[in-house]
Amino acid sequence: MEVDEAEAVQLIDGEGEFAGESAERFMASAGVAVCGLSYAVVSIMGPQSSGKSTLLNQFFGTNFREMDAFRGRSQTTKGIWIARCVGVEPCTVVLDLEGTDGRERGEDDTAFEKQSALFALAISDIVLINMWCHDIGREQAANKPLLKTVFQVMMRLFSPRKTTLLFVIRDKTRTPLEHLEPVLREDIQKIWNSVAKPEAHKDTPISEFFNVEVTALPSFEEKEEQFREQVQQLRQRFANSIAPGGLAGDRRGVVPASGFLFSSQQIWKVIRENKDLDLPAHKVMVATVRCDEIANEKFSCLTSDAEWMDLENAVQSGPVPGFGKKLGYTVDVHMQEYDKEAIYFDEVVRTAKRQLLKSRVLNLIQPAFQKMLAHLRTRALEKYKTELNLTLESGKGFAASVKDITESSLNEFDQGCADAVIKHADWDYSKMLEKVRHDIEDHTLSIREKKLSELTNHAKEKLRKALVEPVESLFDAAGHTTWASIRNLFKRETEAILPEFQKNFAGFEMESASSEGMVSNLRDYARSIVDNKAKEEAGKVMMHMKERLKKFIRYLSLYQSIARSSELVLVFARFTTVFSHDKDSIPRVWTGKEDVRAIAKDARSAALKLLSVMAAIRWDEKPDRIENILTSTLLDGSVTSKGASSSSDPLASTTWEDVSPKYTLITPSQCKSLWKQFKAETEFTITQAVSTQQAHRRGNGRLPPPWAMVAIAVLGFNEIMVLLRNPIYLFLLFVGYLLFKALAVQLDINREFQNGMVPGIISVTAKLVPTLHNILNKVATDQQQQQQGRHQEAAAEAPQPHPQQQQQQPQPPPPLLLSPRSPVSELRRLHVPFSPVRKAASPSPSSSPSSTVSSPRNVGEDQKPRQIVEPNNESNNAYSILMVYTVQLELEGYKGGKTGYTVVDMALPAYACKKPQHAPCRRPPEIHAAIVFFLQSSSDLPVGER
Ligand SMILES: Nc1nc2c(ncn2[C@@H]2O[C@H](COP(=O)(O)OP(=O)(O)OP(=O)(O)O)[C@@H](O)[C@H]2O)c(=O)[nH]1
C-alpha cells in the first residue's frame, strides 16, 4: 500500500510495541531515508485531549486522528504516531505522543508517559509542550508532572543533545504573552530546580539542555480564524529549522535519516528495558549497523552489476583490453554509493566499514585479475616463442635473440599488468613476472638444447658421411698404409667439419670450456665412427667376401669346407685374389709355366698382411710388430711345428705388444688358430693347381716319341703305300681320323681317363653312341645352314625389300666365338634372358660383355675395360687363344624367389680353337668346372628356364 507523505502511521502501539513494518513502509514512501542529515524531528507532548493532534494537523498538514467532540472527550491517540510534515523544508518528521494524565491508563500508570517522554527527547530536535493557558501559575497544573517527567528522564541521557522546548499555550486569554511567559519560565525553572540531578549536573542550568520557547494560540474552537492565521505564522519558524540559528537544537547525536528508524527502534528498546540511554554509543552502534547494511547492499549491487559480470565472463576466455580501467570504474561506482549513503554516520565506523567493503570487493574481483595475469603470462610466453623462432630463422645469434626478445616480452607483460590493476588495490604482480621470466628461461633452455642437439647431430652426420665410406674403402684395399690413410682422413675431415661447427654455435655465447667440451665430444664421436667401422666393416666385408668365396669355391670346386670364421674368410679372400690373379690384377691363366709354389707363397703373404692390418686399430703412428710377428711365426712355418713351447711362441698371448686391448680386433692366439685352419684349407687349392699344371703339360706332350714315329714308318711302310695308292682308303682314313678326333674332343678323353683306365673305358663306352649321334646331327645342321646361306646369297642378288620389311626380319643370333652348340655357348645363350639390366644396357646382341651389371663391391674393377684376349694367330699354342668371358648369373635371384641379384662374376678362360667356328672345341679344366657349376646351379631353375 502506497503511503501518502501526510498519512500518519503508528510507530509504537499502545502496548509499547515498535511497529517496525509499518514504520519502514512510511520511511520508504515518505522518502525520509534519503534525506541524510537534512531532516528534523518534532514531537508533541501534553495532556490528553488538549488539541495536540488538531494543532499538528493545522501546523503541518498531517492527518493525525482528532477527537470527535460530539461523541464526548476520550483518548484518541494511543501510543506514538508518526507523519511527515507537508510543505516544510527540510524534511520534517513529526511524532504525536499519547496524551498524559489519561483516564484510560489510570492514576498510577505513568510508565508509558515517562518512556514516551524520554523517547521524544532522545530523538527529537523540537519538542512541543501543549498546555492550557489557564494552567499557568497554578500549583496543581496538569503540565507540572509532565515537565518533571521530562527533566527527570533527561538526566538519564548521557551527553544529552540540546533540545528546543516550545511551549504552546492554548486558548490564550486577554493576558498578553509578555506577562504569561515570565510566569511560565519561573514555573519551569522551579520544576528544573526541583528535579534530582546527578552530581555532574547539579548546578547545570536548564539552558545547557533546553532552548525554551513560548508561544500562545487562541482557541481553535472559538477563534478558529485567528487560530489558523497564527498557526501559519508559527509554521514559518519550522522552515529551515536545522539551519544555524534555527528552531532545532544543537542536533548532537543526530543520525542520518536512513538510520533514523533503526535508531528509534534501538532507543525505544533501551528505554523499554529501563536502561540508561548512551546516545553517543547508540550513535556508534547505529552507524555500525547502518554502515554494515549499506556496505552489504553495495557489495550485493556489485556482484549483480552487469558490467562486472560481462568483464568477468570476458576474462575467462582471454585478456581484456583496458581491464583495470573498466573494473576500476565499476568498483568506483559502488564505493562512491557507499560513501554517499554512509557519509553522515560516525566517521570512524564509516571508514572502518568502507575498508571492509573494499576488501570484500577486492576479494571478489581478484580471481578475475589473476585470470587476466594468467592470460598475460601465456601471451608473453607465446610472443616470446614466436619471435624467437622468427629471429633464429632470420639467422640472428641465439644469445642475442634471447636477450632482446626476453626484454621486449617482459616489458609487454609488465605493461599488460599495469593496465590490469585498479587504483583501489595495490596488487603485486612481481611474482607473476618472475613466473613469466622462469617460463621464458625454461623455454630458452629447451630451445637451446634442441638447437645445440640439431647442430651436433648435423656435425655428427657430416662426420659420419665423411668417414664411413672412405674408411670402408680403405679397409677394402687394406695394406701397409691403411691406418696411416685412415689417420690422415680423420685429421682432414675433423679439421674441416669441427671449426664450422664451432662457428655455428658461437652465437650461443657459451663458455669456452663448454664449447671446447662439445668439440672434444665430437672428435671422440668421429673416432668412435672409425673404431666402430673398423669392427663393423670387418663383419660387412666378411659377408661379401664369404659370398664371393662361396662362388669361387663353386667355380673351382676346391674350397668346400673353409670359411668357418669371418676372419678366415678375409684371409682366404686375399689368398684367392692373389692366387687367382697376377700382379696386374688380371685373372691368372694357368699356362703350365708358372711357379705355383711361389705364387702360393705370395698369396699367403698377402693374406697374412690383411690379417695384420685387421688385427688392431692404430690411432697412433707408432709402428707395431704385428706384421713382423705374424710373418716370422706363421709364414715362415715355425708355428706349424707342433712341439713349439708357449714361452717361445709370440702368438701364445691374448694381447699384442704395444697395442691396447681396447684397440685389439684379433688377438695373437686367434691369428694363430686362423692361420692353421687357413693353411690346412688352402693346401688343397695349391695341390689342385699343381695337378692342373701337370695335366696341361701332359696335354702339350701328346705326340708320340720320335723313335716310335720311325718304327711306325718302317713297320707300316706297306700299309702306308697301299693307302697312298688307293685314294678311297686315304679318304676313308681321313674321315675316320676326323671322326675319332671329334669323338675325342666331345668325350674329353683325357679327362675321362684321369680317374683310371677302367672307369674311363666304361664312361667313354656309355657316351659313345649319344656323342656320335650328336656329331651326325651337327653335320646335318651344318649342311642345312649352308643351304640357307646359299638361299640368302641368292636372295641378296634379288631386288632389295622395303626397309620396314627388312626390319621385321628376325635378327640372327649373336656371333659366338665358340661353337654354337658348345656347352659354353649354351651357357651364354641361357644366361642372356635372365638379366633384365643386361638387356637394358645391351640392346644389341653384339654389345660388349663389359656392360653387364656387376657387384657393388666390384664396381671399380668392373668399370675397368674388360681385357679380352682375342684369338692370336701368332701363337703356336692352340690352347693359348684366350678370352675373358664374364658370366653373370642371377642364379640366386631365381632361387627362393629373391628379388635381388647375386652376381657371379667369374673370369673364365674360354677356349677358341683355330679350327672352323662350327667345329667342336675341346674344353680346358676351368671351362669344364664352370659348366659343371652352372649345370649344378641351373638345376634349381624351373624346367622351362633351364
Ligand atoms: N477549547 C479548545 N478546544 C480545542 C482546541 N483545539 C481542539 N480542541 C478540541 O479538543 C478536542 C480534542 O482534540 P484533539 O486534537 O483530539 O486533542 P488531543 O490532545 O489530540 O487528544 P488525545 O490525542 O486523545 O490526547 C477536540 O474536540 C477539539 O475540537 C482549542 O484550541 N481549544
Side-chain angles (χ1 to χ4, degrees):
M1 184 181 73
E2 191 71 19
V3 178
D4 185 70
E5 64 176 5
E7 188 175 344
V9 298
Q10 192 172 38
L11 187 65
I12 297 169
D13 64 15
E15 304 302 322
E17 296 298 325
F18 198 90
E21 193 176 336
S22 60
E24 281 180 11
R25 274 209 312 276
F26 164 78
M27 293 295 287
S29 63
V32 179
V34 298
C35 292
L37 293 179
S38 297
Y39 75 102
V41 180
V42 178
S43 304
I44 188 166
M45 291 186 283
Q48 182 179 312
S49 302
S50 60
K52 301 187 291 296
S53 302
T54 305
L55 178 64
L56 292 179
N57 291 341
Q58 293 300 318
F59 249 143
F60 305 116
T62 54
N63 60 349
F64 292 114
R65 202 153 63 89
E66 301 173 9
M67 189 193 81
D68 188 355
F70 297 100
R71 291 185 176 180
R73 304 189 75 82
S74 63
Q75 188 179 44
T76 307
T77 304
K78 287 185 180 178
I80 300 172
W81 290 67
I82 186 169
R84 179 176 174 176
C85 302
V86 177
V88 179
E89 291 297 333
C91 171
T92 302
V93 176
V94 60
L95 301 176
D96 186 8
L97 273 64
E98 184 180 304
T100 59
D101 197 21
R103 179 170 58 85
E104 284 75 5
R105 288 194 183 269
E107 196 169 324
D108 297 328
D109 188 7
T110 57
F112 187 79
E113 284 180 22
K114 292 180 181 176
Q115 289 173 351
S116 60
L118 182 55
F119 179 71
L121 284 175
I123 67 171
S124 302
D125 300 304
I126 303 165
V127 176
L128 301 177
I129 296 178
N130 200 35
M131 61 185 294
W132 298 115
C133 184
H134 54 257
D135 277 350
I136 297 174
R138 286 184 181 177
E139 189 63 29
Q140 298 300 323
N143 61 334
K144 284 190 176 177
L146 173 64
L147 282 177
K148 268 191 178 177
T149 302
V150 169
F151 294 154
Q152 283 171 352
V153 299
M154 194 68 184
M155 293 302 112
R156 291 176 57 189
L157 296 177
F158 292 135
S159 302
R161 58 196 295 182
K162 192 170 184 179
T163 309
T164 297
L165 294 179
L166 178 58
F167 288 83
V168 181
I169 301 170
R170 308 291 296 270
D171 289 354
K172 68 178 180 180
T173 59
R174 290 180 182 176
T175 307
L177 183 61
E178 292 79 17
H179 296 292
L180 291 175
E181 187 175 343
V183 177
L184 179 60
R185 288 185 182 271
E186 188 179 343
D187 288 346
I188 294 169
Q189 188 62 46
K190 284 181 182 174
I191 296 170
W192 173 256
N193 292 338
S194 65
V195 170
K197 300 184 215 39
E199 196 61 30
H201 295 297
K202 203 169 185 180
D203 298 325
T204 305
I206 188 171
S207 58
E208 280 288 314
F209 298 104
F210 299 104
N211 288 323
V212 178
E213 297 284 339
V214 180
T215 187
L217 290 173
S219 171
F220 174 70
E221 289 187 339
E222 296 174 4
K223 300 175 183 176
E224 187 176 351
E225 283 302 319
Q226 289 181 14
F227 180 87
R228 289 184 187 277
E229 283 175 12
Q230 290 187 23
V231 163
Q232 285 304 317
Q233 290 173 10
L234 191 60
R235 178 187 168 92
Q236 300 301 319
R237 298 184 67 181
F238 287 88
N240 296 318
S241 61
I242 62 172
L247 192 61
D250 60 7
R251 292 171 59 78
R252 281 182 301 179
V254 64
V255 295
S258 64
F260 172 75
L261 195 59
F262 174 75
S263 173
S264 302
Q265 190 174 10
Q266 293 302 313
I267 287 174
W268 180 248
K269 187 180 172 188
V270 172
I271 290 171
R272 288 268 289 173
E273 291 171 356
N274 204 24
K275 294 178 182 174
D276 289 341
L277 191 60
D278 187 349
L279 284 183
H282 171 77
K283 188 179 173 184
V284 170
M285 184 272 291
V286 172
T288 304
V289 172
R290 276 302 298 150
C291 287
D292 260 343
E293 287 176 357
I294 295 169
N296 288 339
E297 184 193 342
K298 297 313 159 195
F299 183 76
S300 175
C301 287
L302 175 62
T303 56
S304 57
D305 187 288
E307 286 184 11
W308 155 245
M309 289 195 289
D310 290 345
L311 200 61
E312 190 183 25
N313 288 335
V315 83
Q316 299 304 318
S317 54
V320 179
F323 178 84
K325 197 174 176 184
K326 291 176 182 174
L327 187 59
Y329 174 76
T330 305
V331 171
D332 255 350
V333 167
H334 296 283
M335 292 305 291
Q336 284 173 6
E337 283 288 319
Y338 170 85
D339 291 340
K340 193 174 162 188
E341 290 189 25
I343 189 169
Y344 300 115
F345 290 102
D346 182 82
E347 187 181 355
V348 175
V349 176
R350 182 180 72 221
T351 307
K353 295 300 173 185
R354 190 183 196 281
Q355 279 302 113
L356 200 61
L357 172 64
K358 185 178 165 185
S359 73
R360 288 179 69 193
V361 168
L362 295 183
N363 284 340
L364 174 73
I365 62 178
Q366 196 176 32
F369 173 72
Q370 291 297 336
K371 193 77 182 174
M372 180 72 185
L373 290 191
H375 289 309
L376 292 175
R377 176 185 177 184
T378 306
R379 193 169 69 181
L381 184 61
E382 289 304 317
K383 169 188 157 62
Y384 178 78
K385 287 179 179 175
T386 308
E387 290 191 4
L388 183 63
N389 276 347
L390 290 174
T391 313
L392 291 179
E393 281 173 9
S394 71
K396 192 174 176 181
F398 184 84
S401 302
V402 166
K403 188 178 175 188
D404 292 348
I405 301 170
T406 300
E407 195 174 339
S408 68
S409 299
L410 290 178
N411 281 342
E412 190 175 311
F413 176 78
D414 198 46
Q415 286 175 4
C417 289
D419 182 55
V421 296
I422 60 174
K423 63 182 180 183
H424 309 83
D426 52 349
W427 285 326
D428 181 16
Y429 53 86
S430 59
K431 285 184 180 174
M432 189 61 86
L433 186 65
E434 278 306 303
K435 285 183 180 175
V436 174
R437 197 185 296 278
H438 284 146
D439 289 345
I440 288 175
E441 285 173 0
D442 289 346
H443 180 71
T444 304
L445 273 180
S446 70
I447 293 293
R448 186 174 180 274
E449 290 300 314
K450 186 180 165 193
K451 293 290 177 191
L452 282 176
S453 177
E454 283 175 2
L455 281 176
T456 308
N457 288 339
H458 180 65
K460 283 182 177 178
E461 183 63 20
K462 283 187 85 171
L463 286 169
R464 204 181 61 75
K465 281 184 180 170
L467 291 174
V468 169
E469 287 189 6
V471 169
E472 184 179 332
S473 173
L474 288 171
F475 278 127
D476 281 351
H480 279 299
T481 59
T482 298
W483 283 105
S485 302
I486 289 173
R487 287 192 294 270
N488 287 338
L489 174 73
F490 176 82
K491 189 180 175 194
R492 186 176 67 244
E493 296 300 342
T494 50
E495 285 179 354
I497 294 171
L498 295 186
E500 184 190 349
F501 171 70
Q502 225 167 349
K503 183 183 166 189
N504 282 338
F505 70 70
F508 289 86
E509 295 181 4
M510 300 171 68
E511 292 178 2
S512 61
S514 302
S515 165
E516 286 167 8
M518 293 184 74
V519 173
S520 174
N521 287 342
L522 279 178
R523 190 171 282 107
D524 291 343
Y525 175 78
R527 286 173 73 102
S528 74
I529 290 173
V530 176
D531 288 349
N532 292 333
K533 198 63 200 169
K535 296 168 188 170
E536 294 170 11
E537 183 57 21
K540 279 188 189 175
V541 170
M542 290 165 201
M543 283 173 58
H544 287 296
M545 299 305 288
K546 200 172 183 179
E547 194 64 30
R548 190 169 177 182
L549 183 66
K550 274 164 61 183
K551 287 157 192 166
F552 189 80
I553 292 165
R554 283 180 185 171
Y555 164 49
L556 292 176
S557 300
L558 292 175
Y559 312 130
Q560 294 174 352
S561 59
I562 58 173
R564 294 195 181 108
S565 69
S566 43
E567 289 83 4
L568 195 60
V569 170
L570 268 178
V571 178
F572 266 119
R574 174 52 62 95
F575 172 78
T576 51
T577 302
V578 175
F579 192 66
S580 305
H581 295 74
D582 60 18
K583 290 178 181 175
D584 298 325
S585 297
I586 297 171
R588 192 185 296 283
V589 177
W590 299 102
T591 61
K593 297 176 182 175
E594 297 85 357
D595 183 353
V596 176
R597 296 285 170 190
I599 292 171
K601 188 172 181 183
D602 288 346
R604 283 178 174 163
S605 174
L608 197 65
K609 190 171 291 178
L610 176 66
L611 191 62
S612 69
V613 169
M614 296 306 298
I617 296 170
R618 281 91 163 178
W619 273 117
D620 48 22
E621 296 179 8
K622 190 172 65 176
D624 55 60
R625 295 183 58 247
I626 294 176
E627 187 177 354
N628 290 340
I629 292 171
L630 288 177
T631 305
S632 61
T633 53
L634 300 179
L635 194 62
D636 297 343
S638 59
V639 74
T640 56
S641 57
K642 290 181 180 177
S645 64
S646 59
S647 60
S648 62
D649 185 1
L651 295 180
S653 169
T654 55
T655 55
W656 293 105
E657 187 182 350
D658 299 332
V659 175
S660 168
K662 70 177 180 181
Y663 290 141
T664 301
L665 296 176
I666 307 171
T667 63
S669 57
Q670 287 172 337
C671 283
K672 184 178 175 181
S673 63
L674 284 172
W675 189 253
K676 276 184 181 176
Q677 189 176 354
F678 170 74
K679 278 197 73 176
E681 299 291 350
T682 55
E683 197 64 42
F684 180 73
T685 307
I686 297 163
T687 306
Q688 191 67 22
V690 171
S691 300
T692 305
Q693 191 181 42
Q694 287 174 350
H696 185 78
R697 282 176 181 163
R698 279 200 305 272
N700 282 341
R702 278 181 305 168
L703 286 175
W707 61 267
M709 294 176 72
V710 172
I712 289 169
V714 173
L715 297 175
F717 179 78
N718 292 334
E719 287 75 9
I720 292 170
M721 291 307 295
V722 170
L723 286 174
L724 291 175
R725 285 173 186 157
N726 191 340
I728 294 173
Y729 288 157
L730 190 60
F731 176 75
L732 289 176
L733 186 62
F734 180 68
V735 171
Y737 169 73
L738 288 179
L739 188 60
F740 176 78
K741 188 69 177 178
L743 281 171
V745 170
Q746 284 288 322
L747 292 173
D748 196 359
I749 296 295
N750 290 334
R751 188 177 173 279
E752 297 293 344
F753 282 90
Q754 276 182 354
N755 297 327
M757 184 61 73
V758 175
I761 292 171
I762 294 170
S763 176
V764 168
T765 307
K767 295 177 181 177
L768 185 60
V769 175
T771 306
L772 193 59
H773 187 257
N774 281 342
I775 292 171
L776 293 175
N777 282 343
K778 189 178 296 294
V779 171
T781 305
D782 290 346
Q783 285 178 352
Q784 286 176 358
Q785 287 178 347
Q786 285 174 1
Q787 286 177 357
Q788 285 176 355
R790 283 195 291 273
H791 289 311
Q792 286 173 356
E793 288 173 3
E797 293 172 358
Q800 293 292 324
H802 192 272
Q804 289 182 351
Q805 293 175 354
Q806 196 173 9
Q807 286 179 355
Q808 290 170 356
Q809 286 178 354
Q811 295 294 322
L816 301 175
L817 290 175
L818 303 178
S819 167
R821 302 301 296 174
S822 72
V824 175
S825 64
E826 282 296 313
L827 183 72
R828 178 193 291 183
R829 188 180 64 80
L830 282 172
H831 168 60
V832 169
F834 294 167
S835 174
V837 180
R838 183 188 179 104
K839 277 182 181 177
S842 316
S844 167
S846 60
S847 296
S848 169
S850 65
S851 62
T852 55
V853 178
S854 56
S855 163
R857 303 280 300 161
N858 297 328
V859 169
E861 200 173 306
D862 291 345
Q863 284 173 350
K864 296 175 188 174
R866 294 283 182 192
Q867 297 185 27
I868 299 175
V869 182
E870 299 292 345
N872 185 3
N873 293 329
E874 297 300 322
S875 172
N876 293 326
N877 192 339
Y879 306 118
S880 64
I881 300 172
L882 302 174
M883 62 170 283
V884 174
Y885 178 66
T886 302
V887 180
Q888 293 182 330
L889 300 173
E890 298 88 354
L891 296 179
E892 295 294 337
Y894 288 92
K895 291 176 183 176
K898 294 179 185 173
T899 53
Y901 294 103
T902 299
V903 180
V904 179
D905 189 352
M906 295 186 300
L908 297 178
Y911 164 71
C913 63
K914 279 184 174 180
K915 293 174 185 178
Q917 268 192 332
H918 304 303
C921 298
R922 178 177 174 272
R923 299 189 299 269
E926 293 87 344
I927 298 291
H928 182 79
I931 293 168
V932 169
F933 158 67
F934 169 71
L935 291 176
Q936 286 174 350
S937 302
S938 64
S939 65
D940 295 333
L941 295 175
V943 176
E945 298 286 348
R946 211 182 326 162

